[in-house]
Amino acid sequence: MSQHLPPAVLLMGPTASGKTACALSLAKHLPIEIISVDSALVFRDMDIGTAKPSAEEQGVCPHHLIDILSPEEAYSAARFREDALTLMAQITARGRIPVLAGGTMLYYKALREGLSELPQADEAVRAGIDARARTHGWPALHAELARLDPSAAASLNPNDAQRIQRALEIVSLTGRSLAENYAQREMRPPPFRFIGVALDAADRSVLHARIAQRFDAMLDAGFVDELRRLRERYVLDVSMPSMRSVGYRQAWAYLDGEVDAATFREMGIAATRQLAKRQITWQRKFLSQWPDLTPVDCLDPNLPGTVSDTVRRQLDDPLPPALDS
């Protein structure tokens, strides 16, 4: 039955794995529109530190969910799912194929599996958590979570402020563990036949080298100046979701004089590598659960062509050539 549903391509991978090049390659062969699956690309004026596709790249085919919010605002997995499903239906109605490309793995999970009915953010509860973190540090809050919900704490890094905050908030508001809350997820499979590609690195050291090279390129392109302009233009705080993006929170510490330039660079590269590790862990779980997801080595010298061939083989019927923009 799924073979009769309209196709949608999922193109996921860790940072610096080549997702943008692969998506643009697909546009040469198929009538596609790209939906960004990236929690940082939604923010305007955050271009360098997010490795946002250039205006020229975005001109190759229509792109969606890029530059839709001020850095002062927040975006969620629930909103992504709603926005993505609406866009996927619109793209399909235009006779094109939606390609969801990016590295925010929680968004892919939300899209495919639905979301639990979790409580909305409670500013008072969050303020109390943040106050305790400022006094005692996030490892102490992680220990607090371990007493309340050992399973949730075991899955989180003691310095992962954003996730520790949200976990404590949910447990405090519901009186239930995260596992109990997530078990209430409503399963509503989207009306699409997914064709998935998961980019991975057979040699992790090469991916690490790419990450370092890309971070240095961001610095050369004026990443620090970009953040300086953002702080002048918007009313920002380091705790905001936009400023929690990898690279930006480390640059914030540098601008505040908390670390020197060399330490900032080391912190930024290390944080990006940690992000890639988490993304790969998510992907491997997806590969064990989603039969329509195909692994592809991102170090393949003909990566865009390999991804394009992988996707085209899985499409049922011959499709017309890509439509002119």
Side-chain angles (χ1 to χ4, degrees):
M1 181 176 178
S2 65
Q3 295 299 311
H4 301 292
L5 294 173
V9 177
L10 306 182
L11 177 55
M12 64 183 68
T15 184
S17 60
K19 298 181 292 295
T20 297
C22 291
L24 295 178
S25 177
L26 285 174
K28 297 177 182 178
H29 306 286
L30 299 168
I32 71 167
E33 297 188 25
I34 296 172
I35 299 173
S36 170
V37 188
D38 190 299
S39 61
L41 294 191
V42 297
F43 298 115
R44 291 187 291 272
D45 299 321
M46 291 174 57
D47 303 329
I48 298 172
T50 63
K52 189 173 291 179
S54 66
E56 181 181 3
E57 289 171 329
Q58 292 188 48
V60 171
C61 69
H63 284 62
H64 305 277
L65 299 188
I66 294 177
D67 293 336
I68 62 172
L69 295 178
S70 158
E72 298 164 323
E73 299 178 88
Y75 199 64
S76 67
R79 181 171 170 186
F80 168 79
R81 187 175 197 270
E82 181 180 351
D83 290 346
L85 288 173
T86 298
L87 287 165
M88 291 164 71
Q90 293 171 348
I91 292 167
T92 298
R94 288 193 285 268
R96 290 174 172 258
I97 301 171
V99 172
L100 294 98
T104 301
M105 301 303 170
L106 176 61
Y107 287 7
Y108 286 111
K109 184 175 179 66
L111 175 68
R112 294 196 56 147
E113 300 181 3
L115 290 163
S116 303
E117 293 297 325
L118 298 178
Q120 295 294 316
D122 186 301
E123 293 304 323
V125 172
R126 287 195 171 188
I129 294 170
D130 287 341
R132 296 199 300 280
R134 284 193 296 270
T135 301
H136 304 292
W138 284 106
L141 272 293
H142 182 265
E144 179 181 328
L145 178 63
R147 291 192 294 273
L148 297 171
D149 188 347
S151 177
S155 68
L156 298 178
N157 184 292
N159 289 300
D160 193 339
Q162 186 172 4
R163 288 180 175 81
I164 293 172
Q165 179 200 61
R166 182 57 175 155
L168 280 171
E169 180 183 38
I170 292 171
V171 172
S172 298
L173 291 172
T174 66
R176 298 189 300 270
S177 69
L178 288 192
E180 291 172 312
N181 278 286
Y182 285 125
Q184 299 180 36
R185 178 180 291 114
E186 181 182 354
M187 299 294 288
R188 291 177 293 166
F192 292 89
R193 177 170 65 89
F194 289 114
I195 297 171
V197 174
L199 303 182
D200 199 354
D203 186 345
R204 196 72 60 85
S205 66
V206 177
L207 182 63
H208 288 176
R210 281 189 187 179
I211 287 171
Q213 291 166 3
R214 190 167 79 165
F215 196 82
D216 285 338
M218 290 176 178
L219 294 178
D220 291 340
F223 176 31
V224 173
D225 288 335
E226 176 180 82
L227 178 56
R228 187 178 286 113
R229 290 192 297 271
L230 286 166
R231 298 198 337 174
E232 292 171 353
R233 180 172 183 179
Y234 300 100
V235 180
L236 298 175
D237 183 275
V238 73
S239 66
M240 290 178 173
S242 61
M243 294 299 102
R244 286 178 174 174
S245 300
V246 168
Y248 285 90
R249 48 188 166 179
Q250 290 77 30
W252 189 289
Y254 170 63
L255 284 180
D256 278 359
E258 297 174 10
V259 297
D260 60 22
T263 303
F264 156 50
R265 176 183 178 274
E266 292 174 2
M267 290 169 55
I269 292 172
T272 309
R273 288 177 176 174
Q274 290 167 3
L275 169 63
K277 182 179 180 180
R278 292 194 299 270
Q279 290 168 319
I280 290 170
T281 299
W282 275 91
Q283 278 193 169
R284 290 180 176 168
K285 184 178 293 185
F286 293 160
L287 284 164
S288 70
Q289 298 172 343
W290 300 345
D292 48 43
L293 191 58
T294 302
V296 173
D297 184 6
C298 73
L299 305 183
D300 182 338
N302 184 37
L303 178 63
T306 299
V307 169
S308 180
D309 290 344
T310 300
V311 170
R312 294 165 76 188
R313 279 197 303 269
Q314 294 184 58
L315 291 168
D316 280 339
D317 303 315
L319 287 161
L323 303 177
D324 292 335
S325 299

